[in-house]
Amino acid sequence: MKSPPTDRRVLTLFPFILASVLIFGTTRLVTETSSASWSRALRRSFPAIFSSARRNAAELDHVLDRRCNLFEGKWVLDEHNSRPLYTEDSCPYLTRQLTCQRNGRPDSLYQKWRWKPHSCDLPRFDAVKLLESLRNKRLMFIGDSIQRTQWESMVCLLQSGAADNKKYLHKDPPRKIFVAEEFNASIEFYWAPFIVESNSDHATKHTVQKRLVHLDSIAKHGRNWKGVDVMVFNSYVWWMYKPLINATIGTLDIWQYGVPTAYRMALQTWAKWIESTVNPQNQKLFFMSSSPTHLWSWEWKAGSSGNCFNETYPIEGPYWGTGSSLDIMGAVRDALRGLKVKVTLLNITQLSEFRKDGHTSVYTERRGKLLTSEQRSEPNVYADCIHWCLPGVPDTWNEILYAHLLNRKS
């Protein structure tokens, strides 16, 4: 395997066990840095772009007022008994991987936490209003299994606003499509774990261990994205399996690149597609920041040796785990700043960092089968501390997206 002459540096990365990730079980996740000052650095790197939200729908236009940063706040137990926003039983579109209660999780407190920004409130989610705003439109989530979870969350939040005999879900690989017929609206998921093309683009037959990314190729994906009214992109966890990644660019020759370098090159290809294809007058674009992991409990509880298993409360106070890379987030920031077309960053990383209690842990499946009692008895081996239970944390991500979609100024 060749290394390009322009990329001879080997980054100092800290690999660690990535439990139950990407369908095929235990792998290694790689991050670059970790320190207590990351939260401050993150706030400097990603300036506030949101603002105060009111529960009165008439005030939705002010939700992006800069006087309130929706991403700085705390998790509070819901005092109005309004959470969860849906239940496993009320949403027939949830996949078994994410239904933690049905899979045997004994506690439900993780469903009761509400994100409270310091100076405002998130607007209350109104399924009918959002469906009205999406009338005759397509909303597409593009990315990996984390993005698929956010899509499932959005479908569950929206489906109550559509008549039972006027909604359905169908698969058109690599897409999954929820349709609300009376609104002529579709909520779609498109599998593209690296955003650019790769050997892992098959909707079900893919593996992270032999990943090969085509850094300058995006046309195959782009044909499926062309004309979509609202696109929500995410790409992170598949990049972080090892510090070096096999990739092609320009030829069939395979090179090895440091992950941050390859990630930036992929975003350059994506940015060119955005600027050459998207019409900013009638299309909206968003990019989700990285979803954190909680693989090592010693990061929030000194001296412990577990992970997210049996965690029932959020982390309090400043916290930034090793599962979130500032190098990758910096690459996203630089790419968005350089675009001529507006792409709005939804910076959900820090607020999600606090939620060590929200992961599927041992209450999930692997290779299509629920974990056995024997496997559940070994959480340090089998707990999935990457994916999220639903209802849960990704619902808050969609509440933030909702604020943008219903804000006429955004």
Side-chain angles (χ1 to χ4, degrees):
M1 199 68 63
K2 297 180 285 186
S3 295
T6 57
D7 187 23
R8 295 187 180 278
R9 295 175 299 168
V10 178
L11 299 178
T12 303
L13 304 176
F14 300 96
F16 56 88
I17 297 299
L18 199 56
S20 302
V21 68
L22 309 176
I23 301 175
F24 293 100
T26 303
T27 60
R28 291 186 179 275
L29 183 68
V30 182
T31 56
E32 293 80 38
T33 49
S34 175
S35 75
S37 63
W38 278 12
S39 179
R40 294 188 298 272
L42 185 64
R43 287 194 293 271
R44 291 195 299 269
S45 297
F46 297 86
I49 58 174
F50 287 111
S51 156
S52 70
R54 300 288 188 257
R55 295 192 180 278
N56 189 325
E59 296 181 322
L60 269 170
D61 282 345
H62 302 296
V63 73
L64 302 188
D65 189 314
R66 288 181 179 272
R67 289 173 295 179
C68 182
N69 180 356
L70 293 190
F71 301 109
E72 292 189 350
K74 62 181 180 179
W75 291 95
V76 298
L77 276 175
D78 179 53
E79 67 274 19
H80 303 295
N81 199 32
S82 61
R83 301 189 88 87
L85 301 176
Y86 56 90
T87 67
E88 292 179 3
D89 291 335
S90 70
C91 183
Y93 307 106
L94 284 173
T95 54
R96 190 168 63 171
Q97 179 189 17
L98 310 174
T99 53
C100 299
Q101 290 281 293
R102 193 174 296 153
N103 297 341
R105 181 164 176 168
D107 65 298
S108 60
L109 197 62
Y110 67 93
Q111 299 179 348
K112 304 293 186 180
W113 296 96
R114 176 175 61 87
W115 178 247
K116 174 68 175 71
H118 290 316
S119 302
C120 58
D121 289 306
L122 290 174
R124 179 178 291 124
F125 195 98
D126 188 314
V128 174
K129 285 183 179 178
L130 184 51
L131 283 170
E132 283 289 359
S133 76
L134 294 173
R135 184 178 291 277
N136 301 319
K137 294 180 180 179
R138 298 169 64 193
L139 165 60
M140 181 180 285
F141 294 85
I142 299 161
D144 56 23
S145 56
I146 298 297
Q147 196 71 337
R148 185 174 63 224
T149 300
Q150 186 176 1
W151 168 78
E152 287 192 34
S153 163
M154 180 60 85
V155 169
C156 289
L157 289 165
L158 275 179
Q159 62 92 23
S160 63
D164 288 341
N165 61 344
K166 297 287 186 178
K167 58 188 176 184
Y168 62 90
L169 179 71
H170 76 278
K171 298 179 181 179
D172 180 23
R175 291 187 301 158
K176 291 185 174 183
I177 306 166
F178 172 81
V179 177
E181 285 185 322
E182 59 190 307
F183 298 92
N184 192 31
S186 65
I187 316 301
E188 307 176 26
F189 168 72
Y190 184 95
W191 173 264
F194 296 99
I195 293 183
V196 293
E197 295 170 23
S198 74
N199 67 345
S200 302
D201 289 340
H202 192 281
T204 56
K205 298 177 182 178
H206 47 247
T207 173
V208 70
Q209 289 92 337
K210 298 180 180 179
R211 58 194 182 153
L212 174 63
V213 183
H214 308 302
L215 296 174
D216 59 345
S217 299
I218 201 169
K220 181 181 70 175
H221 293 329
R223 285 193 293 270
N224 292 280
W225 305 341
K226 191 172 182 179
V228 174
D229 301 279
V230 183
M231 287 177 276
V232 186
F233 293 91
N234 168 265
S235 184
Y236 180 65
V237 71
W238 275 67
W239 290 91
M240 308 307 291
Y241 173 61
K242 289 182 179 178
L244 298 177
I245 191 167
N246 293 335
T248 64
I249 184 166
T251 69
L252 296 178
D253 292 335
I254 299 174
W255 302 84
Q256 282 195 332
Y257 292 86
V259 164
T261 298
Y263 192 89
R264 286 180 178 271
M265 296 169 72
L267 287 185
Q268 289 173 5
T269 299
W270 170 76
K272 290 177 182 177
W273 181 86
I274 294 292
E275 293 188 337
S276 66
T277 309
V278 168
N279 182 349
Q281 299 303 314
N282 53 32
Q283 290 175 279
K284 293 182 180 181
L285 287 83
F286 300 89
F287 202 104
M288 306 299 298
S289 67
S290 55
S291 171
T293 63
H294 295 89
L295 302 179
W296 291 332
S297 62
W298 53 258
E299 292 187 319
W300 60 85
K301 185 179 180 181
S304 62
S305 58
N307 49 35
C308 68
F309 175 68
N310 266 354
E311 294 290 349
T312 56
Y313 282 83
I315 297 169
E316 295 185 9
Y319 175 77
W320 189 269
T322 57
S324 302
S325 165
L326 283 184
D327 282 349
I328 294 298
M329 296 183 74
V332 174
R333 174 202 61 205
D334 294 344
L336 299 195
R337 284 179 175 174
L339 277 170
K340 298 177 183 178
V341 176
K342 180 181 178 181
V343 179
T344 300
L345 176 70
L346 299 186
N347 185 10
I348 52 82
T349 307
Q350 180 64 86
L351 67 89
S352 306
E353 283 281 2
F354 300 125
R355 293 303 305 276
K356 59 181 172 59
D357 59 313
H359 294 287
T360 55
S361 183
V362 297
Y363 307 104
T364 186
E365 61 182 14
R366 176 179 291 193
R367 296 188 179 99
K369 295 182 179 180
L370 288 177
L371 296 185
T372 65
S373 57
E374 291 78 11
Q375 290 171 325
R376 290 185 182 184
S377 68
E378 298 184 75
N380 282 1
V381 176
Y382 291 101
D384 182 346
C385 299
I386 298 161
H387 296 98
W388 303 92
C389 298
L390 288 181
V393 174
D395 301 328
T396 295
W397 306 347
N398 281 324
E399 287 179 286
I400 293 172
L401 176 60
Y402 168 89
H404 270 278
L405 293 175
L406 265 70
N407 187 283
R408 288 174 292 182
K409 297 179 182 179
S410 66

